[in-house]
Amino acid sequence: MEAIAKNRIEEDIYKIILQLSVSKKIKFDYELKFIEDLGFSSLKIMEMVSVVAELYGFEPILEEIMVLNTIGDLIQYLEQALPLVESEIFLEGRKAV
Amino acid sequence: MKQWPENITSKPIAYIENKDTYTLQAETLISMLTRLRGKQKQSIIFLDINNNESRATANEIKTEATFIAQYLKRQGLEKNDKVIIMLPTSFDFVRSFFGVLMAGGVPVPIAPPFGSKGIENYLNNLEHIVADCEARFLITFDQIKMFVNDSIKISKLLQEILFINEMTKKTVPADEFQVLPEIKAEDLALIQYTSGTTGKPKGVMLTHRNLLHNIHGIGVAARVTENDIGLSWLPLYHDMGLIGSLLGSLYWDFILIAMVPEAFLLNPSLWLENMTKYQVTISPAPNFAYNYCVSRIPDNKLTNIDLSNWRLAFNAAEPIDSKTLQRFIEKFSSCGLKNDTVFFPGYGMAENSLAATFVPISRETTIVQYFKRDGIESRNVAVAATNTAEDNAVSLVSVGYPLVGQAVQIVDEKGKIRCEGEIGEILVKSPSLFIGYYRNQEETENAFVDGWLRTGDLGFIHGRMLFVNGRRKEMIIKQGRNIYPYDMERIAASVEGIRKGCVAAFGVQNYMSGTEDLILLCETPLSDSTTKEELVRKVRAAIWENLRIVPDDVNLIPKGAIPKTSSGKIQRSLCRKMYIDLNKELRAEI
């Protein structure tokens, strides 16, 4: 699995949520709840995790997903599950080397 | 090979009936299982979230169900006691379901909670069901012990919460077995909870005979044999998963591969890869699932998929979109998917056990027909378009003709039967019809007229086939679940800051997801953006709390913006048009 820049995750998650959400007027916030605030059904939450898992190439564990309630929870979960580098700039620098 | 059952009768009036003779192969679900008991072949192959297999024969199901039945009897279960089963797709579900039946109880399957999300609201809903069906026991699994144990109210309503792993550890010794009650065809076999117009779920009561009649009819229509292999990821608390897949496979004695729904949702290609591996011939899914596969399965995975054995793709539980079917065929034709005849669209409802109609199995194409738009939309008449390319033609997928022993008719608002081609309410009459809503005489009486079930759906009969083209109650169907606009509007209007009687709820077909989006327009006098954001949250929370569903989009609009009729009724169709127009512009900007 390739290292991912920490600041990329947030950007990717916002893009995915926007893509899946019917409303395009989302003011992103780590505290936003998937069900109550974003209007996601349990099926849509699974779809979101599926898209994220495919993007980063990892296999999510169901029990861990079930307790993710907010955008912040998801980002924190990914930061723990994925090999990270500090920032995109560092990643680009490493690639250049 | 004949295309139609011999005794389909059709009259110029909008009435179709399937008079083919039939004989049920079992009187009760128990005798259905006993019939298979001598056979040692695998009946069900369970696949867990990691796709690991475990297998069960009918013999094992019966033996293990007997232990559950004896356990329940020892706890004091009596005939007709209701037992809630809250278990994921697993052998535990199957043995509990049959164990409850064998002990003389009535299973009430419900969805387990989705993790800790909205657990309070989940428990409120559960509390309603436990109280409404007067449940005596609840069978569940260890992982949710903390949720249900914390609910004192639920614990007080029940005699006992039973955990399946403990039940199977403390089996009753054979010498202490009690005599199990005799089960008859007219005994209650299932209570299915379905959403209602009052917002609270209603318990649909079905007997053994109701269920077996429906399962038999589906099998006859689908020409199911012992050589078929079924695969289902539909949850077992859902009628298509429980009745159509699990009970159907046992009745017709074919192998069922039972996947957990989460496995499909996380990795949809697993559905099709398992179909390849097990050479599956029959697999059901609602419309959205076909769309999901098109959008989520990358092309590089297609080489692992072989769908050449797939002869029947049941498609029901929500409106069927011909474009979805077309996209699915285009994407998977290189995987051996025969052609569109693999799709088997049907129509049904929980009150009719599951299915009322299905399309003919031997046909040249999926039954897509084109009708003139002005007739359908303005004149309540379906007139076939002279060619498919005709401007403004509406394409509709037929849901076929009634299953054996069933009849369908179309009536106008006064209950008078209409003629073929005229649009009206669809009524269904059959031995699969439920016996009523549990402890709800008023709703039961409202559901029937002269022995016919009022479906609330709009449709017409054309060329001996039923077409569904709308819902009288403007009901929204989202991922197989029925939602009534009035419920959402009433709840939203109860939130402080929303104008009373000035809320419109409606569904908008989302062609990307293959299901309907739930949209709310709410008038508010507020203008501050922060307050409005908070108000949207409150509306969502209120609807989630009451209905356990959340609107996909809540739009706050100024006072007087919702179009109403001269008598003050909300014009939902105009609201829908307004929303679609506005949203087009918004999406175009992104």
Side-chain angles (χ1 to χ4, degrees):
Chain A
M1 198 186 295
E2 197 179 317
I4 294 144
K6 212 169 171 180
N7 58 350
R8 257 272 301 282
I9 293 179
E10 187 179 303
E11 200 181 310
D12 287 339
I13 296 302
Y14 289 173
K15 267 187 203 162
I16 290 166
I17 288 173
L18 203 57
Q19 189 190 330
L20 294 176
S21 174
V22 174
S23 171
K24 304 299 174 195
K25 300 162 284 185
I26 303 168
K27 198 171 162 191
F28 282 105
D29 176 340
Y30 271 35
E31 298 302 311
L32 281 186
K33 290 181 178 169
F34 295 120
I35 291 180
E36 291 89 335
D37 298 330
L38 293 171
F40 278 20
S41 63
S42 52
L43 297 187
K44 197 167 266 184
I45 293 171
M46 298 296 277
E47 182 178 0
M48 175 186 70
V49 174
S50 165
V51 176
V52 173
E54 190 186 298
L55 177 70
Y56 296 134
F58 76 104
E59 286 191 12
I61 297 163
L62 189 61
E63 288 76 15
E64 292 175 355
I65 297 164
M66 300 287 256
V67 296
L68 305 176
N69 291 325
T70 64
I71 292 181
D73 291 344
L74 176 62
I75 290 174
Q76 197 181 10
Y77 168 72
L78 291 171
E79 285 175 352
Q80 284 165 6
L82 301 172
L84 294 179
V85 289
E86 272 309 307
S87 72
E88 194 80 70
I89 299 161
F90 176 81
L91 190 69
E92 282 169 5
R94 193 188 63 160
K95 275 183 180 169
V97 173
Chain B
M1 196 177 281
K2 66 174 179 155
Q3 183 172 345
W4 305 95
E6 280 165 8
N7 290 310
I8 285 281
T9 59
S10 178
K11 301 171 187 173
I13 56 167
Y15 176 93
I16 37 176
E17 181 178 1
N18 186 337
K19 290 180 177 172
D20 273 0
T21 53
Y22 64 94
T23 309
L24 299 184
Q25 296 176 20
E27 281 218 338
T28 68
L29 296 177
I30 309 297
S31 58
M32 169 187 85
L33 199 56
T34 308
R35 195 171 48 93
L36 299 173
R37 204 180 173 190
K39 299 182 182 178
Q40 289 303 314
K41 80 171 190 182
Q42 305 299 324
S43 287
I44 308 175
I45 301 174
F46 297 97
L47 298 176
D48 69 11
I49 185 76
N50 299 314
N51 220 35
N52 297 320
E53 265 189 20
S54 57
R55 295 174 177 238
T57 62
N59 205 25
E60 286 163 339
I61 295 169
K62 182 85 190 281
T63 305
E64 290 297 319
T66 306
F67 283 118
I68 299 289
Q70 290 295 340
Y71 186 98
L72 291 167
K73 289 294 288 177
R74 190 173 63 185
Q75 301 307 109
L77 185 123
E78 289 175 10
K79 188 98 188 268
N80 281 326
D81 278 348
K82 318 301 177 295
V83 181
I84 291 184
I85 300 178
M86 185 207 287
L87 291 167
T89 298
S90 57
F91 183 57
D92 284 342
F93 183 101
V94 178
R95 63 176 157 179
S96 300
F97 182 84
F98 283 102
V100 171
L101 285 175
M102 287 165 73
V106 183
V108 185
I110 64 160
F114 186 69
S116 55
K117 288 173 201 62
I119 192 68
E120 278 180 34
N121 306 320
Y122 174 87
L123 291 173
N124 284 340
N125 195 54
L126 176 61
E127 189 189 316
H128 162 74
I129 292 174
V130 169
D132 188 68
C133 75
E134 303 172 299
R136 190 155 174 202
F137 297 101
L138 183 151
I139 302 177
T140 188
F141 56 124
D142 244 12
Q143 286 90 324
I144 54 167
K145 202 171 209 168
M146 57 184 193
F147 300 134
V148 285
N149 270 358
D150 282 354
S151 172
I152 296 159
K153 279 186 190 167
I154 291 171
S155 303
K156 277 186 180 171
L157 289 167
L158 292 157
Q159 178 182 317
E160 197 177 348
I161 295 172
L162 304 169
F163 293 93
I164 188 72
N165 59 333
E166 291 167 17
M167 290 171 83
T168 50
K169 272 184 210 157
K170 298 174 189 168
T171 52
V172 179
D175 58 352
E176 291 176 25
F177 273 16
Q178 298 180 42
V179 177
L180 296 175
E182 187 191 349
I183 309 297
K184 293 182 179 154
E186 62 272 19
D187 284 339
L188 255 189
L190 176 68
I191 297 184
Q192 290 195 85
Y193 269 83
T194 178
S195 58
T197 49
T198 58
K200 293 287 184 192
K202 295 177 292 186
V204 174
M205 294 189 285
L206 295 162
T207 65
H208 288 262
R209 186 179 286 130
N210 292 151
L211 292 169
L212 290 167
H213 174 264
N214 211 256
I215 292 164
H216 185 89
I218 295 169
V220 169
R223 294 185 188 162
V224 167
T225 73
E226 281 187 8
N227 299 324
D228 275 308
I229 298 171
L231 187 150
S232 173
W233 50 263
L234 299 168
L236 294 178
Y237 54 80
H238 189 280
D239 52 9
M240 264 175 89
L242 176 65
I243 304 167
S245 301
L246 173 67
L247 301 179
S249 70
L250 292 169
Y251 182 91
W252 291 104
D253 195 14
F254 64 85
I255 295 172
L256 176 71
I257 322 296
M259 281 175 69
V260 293
E262 293 83 0
F264 164 71
L265 294 168
L266 284 175
N267 181 6
S269 61
L270 208 52
W271 175 30
L272 305 184
E273 285 165 16
N274 281 328
M275 289 190 44
T276 307
K277 179 179 170 186
Y278 294 100
Q279 302 180 318
V280 168
T281 60
I282 299 176
S283 192
N287 196 68
F288 87 88
Y290 298 101
N291 229 320
Y292 194 55
C293 286
V294 172
S295 63
R296 296 284 305 115
I297 298 179
D299 288 348
N300 61 11
K301 286 202 172 181
L302 298 184
T303 49
N304 303 333
I305 297 170
D306 175 5
L307 302 176
S308 54
N309 290 299
W310 197 6
R311 71 174 188 89
L312 276 182
F314 284 95
N315 189 343
E318 63 183 340
I320 298 156
D321 176 24
S322 58
K323 293 186 191 78
T324 297
L325 306 191
Q326 200 49 49
R327 282 208 297 267
F328 189 85
I329 290 159
E330 281 168 16
K331 173 121 184 175
F332 296 102
S333 59
S334 65
C335 303
L337 185 68
K338 287 189 184 78
N339 52 41
D340 64 354
T341 58
V342 77
F343 287 106
F344 197 48
Y347 170 70
M349 60 291 303
E351 286 82 353
N352 192 45
S353 293
L354 176 62
T357 68
F358 270 115
V359 296
I361 196 164
S362 56
R363 60 187 200 274
E364 288 173 2
T365 177
T366 295
I367 312 295
V368 178
Q369 297 226 8
Y370 292 82
F371 298 94
K372 290 182 180 174
R373 185 174 295 274
D374 70 319
I376 296 267
E377 291 184 352
S378 313
R379 296 186 291 118
N380 273 343
V381 180
V383 181
T386 46
N387 62 70
T388 54
E390 187 172 325
D391 279 349
N392 271 335
V394 178
S395 71
L396 291 173
V397 179
S398 171
V399 289
Y401 56 77
L403 304 183
V404 285
Q406 302 210 36
V408 166
Q409 67 175 11
I410 309 292
V411 297
D412 65 15
E413 285 178 359
K414 289 174 185 164
K416 190 181 162 208
I417 192 158
R418 306 215 71 179
C419 289
E420 280 206 11
E422 293 178 345
I423 296 170
E425 186 180 1
I426 302 166
L427 305 189
V428 173
K429 191 182 238 179
S430 89
S432 300
L433 281 181
F434 74 138
I435 56 171
Y437 297 111
Y438 191 67
R439 295 201 309 152
N440 196 335
Q441 190 60 30
E442 191 184 342
E443 290 275 14
T444 302
E445 282 170 14
N446 289 340
F448 289 101
V449 54
D450 298 330
W452 290 81
L453 174 73
R454 303 187 61 186
T455 66
D457 293 326
L458 293 175
F460 59 90
I461 289 167
H462 176 83
R464 297 194 295 181
M465 304 272 273
L466 177 67
F467 289 79
V468 182
N469 76 316
R471 291 182 290 278
R472 192 173 56 87
K473 294 168 187 163
E474 293 178 296
M475 192 170 70
I476 303 156
I477 301 184
K478 187 169 176 64
Q479 285 159 341
R481 188 179 157 187
N482 300 342
I483 301 139
Y484 294 90
Y486 172 74
D487 285 337
M488 292 183 55
E489 290 165 359
R490 178 178 49 83
I491 295 161
S494 69
V495 175
E496 197 179 335
I498 301 293
R499 297 188 70 223
K500 304 282 173 270
C502 298
V503 178
F506 48 88
V508 173
Q509 186 64 33
N510 183 330
Y511 293 104
M512 296 306 290
S513 67
T515 191
E516 285 193 308
D517 287 333
L518 259 170
I519 311 297
L520 265 182
L521 298 184
C522 310
E523 288 187 12
T524 178
L526 304 174
S527 53
D528 173 67
S529 61
T530 314
T531 321
K532 282 166 80 177
E533 276 171 29
E534 186 52 32
L535 191 56
V536 168
R537 284 185 186 212
K538 282 183 181 170
V539 169
R540 278 213 169 102
I543 289 170
W544 169 247
E545 191 170 323
N546 286 277
L547 301 177
R548 288 203 71 242
I549 194 142
V550 272
D552 292 278
D553 197 9
V554 177
N555 287 258
L556 298 181
I557 53 176
K559 193 178 164 185
I562 287 186
K564 291 183 177 178
T565 63
S566 53
S567 60
K569 283 185 183 165
I570 289 164
Q571 293 183 292
R572 294 193 186 99
S573 54
L574 258 182
C575 289
R576 182 188 292 113
K577 189 177 180 308
M578 204 165 88
Y579 174 84
I580 291 169
D581 291 346
L582 274 172
N583 228 36
K584 263 184 204 159
E585 290 168 24
L586 195 62
R587 280 165 198 267
E589 287 169 18
I590 293 170

